[in-house]
Structure formats: structure tokens, C-alpha cells
Amino acid sequence: QVQLVESGGGLVQSGGSLRLSCAASGLTFSRAAMGWFRQAPGKEREFVASISWSGGRSNYADSVKGRFTIFRDNGKNTVYLQMSSLKPEDTAVYYCAVGRFTSSTSSDDYGNWGQGTQVTVSS
């Protein structure tokens, strides 16, 4: 049974940084593309970033390019999202998921969602 557990969220001031973690179990993590999505209150879930199984390829939403970095440690079965220069509009619940394609930005191509971790950026 695949299980993803996100952690690292919290309250941070605008311009600050956070690192989210997603620990995976129940799958061959080193062969799985992974993605991060977020959902703000009253809004649909949106793509943030994805990474290939090897970590060699990554993809970002325009809104986070240059500020967020996705990376993974296959030895620890963990994918990370390093977030810098945070803005109030980054406030959301952040989810990780297993992807079918690194290039996909659609939540329809992702599954085994974690429970999410709340990120709140104050102005």
C-alpha cells in the first residue's frame, strides 16, 4: 500500500523560506516520478513542481519558477520542495503525489496523494 506523508509546513513571513518533505513507502520510489501540488481555500488544486525518477528532470509552474526547487533523495524515499522568497499568494495546503509523467501538470496524472501540509505566508 502506497503511503505519502508530507511535513515541513508552517507559518512564515513574506520573503521567508520553508522546506517541505514527502516521505514515501509501499512503492519502488526510485522508479517513480513525483509531484507537488497546492490548494488554497476556495481554489482548485494546482500544479507546483514535478521531478523524474532519477531527479534529472524537473518541471515548475510559472508562478514558482526561480523561487522553488524540487529535489529527491532516493536513498531516503523522500522528495523535497525548497521554497524561497515566499509570498502571501503561496499560502495553501501542499500535497505530494506519485506521477505518471514528469512533464504532466494535470492532477489527473497523479495519484496516491498525501494528507497535505499547510503553508501560511503572512504579509
Side-chain angles (χ1 to χ4, degrees):
Q1 178 177 346
V2 177
Q3 187 174 16
L4 303 177
V5 179
E6 300 96 335
S7 61
L11 174 64
V12 63
Q13 288 188 332
S14 181
S17 299
L18 279 176
R19 177 179 292 184
L20 306 183
S21 300
C22 171
S25 60
L27 76 163
T28 306
F29 182 77
S30 60
R31 302 304 296 269
M34 299 295 296
W36 284 96
F37 284 73
R38 65 187 181 186
Q39 188 166 18
K43 296 187 177 182
E44 293 189 355
R45 190 169 297 188
E46 66 172 359
F47 171 79
V48 175
S50 62
I51 189 167
S52 64
W53 61 270
S54 68
R57 289 181 294 122
S58 57
N59 189 26
Y60 296 92
D62 288 343
S63 60
V64 307
K65 277 181 182 176
R67 300 189 299 122
F68 291 10
T69 302
I70 187 171
F71 61 101
R72 64 191 295 162
D73 184 337
N74 285 347
K76 295 182 178 180
N77 283 10
T78 301
V79 61
Y80 303 91
L81 186 68
Q82 178 67 46
M83 306 185 295
S84 302
S85 301
L86 283 161
K87 306 174 181 179
E89 51 263 44
D90 294 318
T91 295
V93 177
Y94 284 71
Y95 301 89
C96 66
V98 180
R100 294 177 60 195
F101 313 106
T102 303
S103 58
S104 176
T105 62
S106 171
S107 59
D108 291 341
D109 288 326
Y110 291 81
N112 305 110
W113 298 88
Q115 83 289 347
T117 186
Q118 175 71 48
V119 172
T120 303
V121 184
S122 63
S123 57

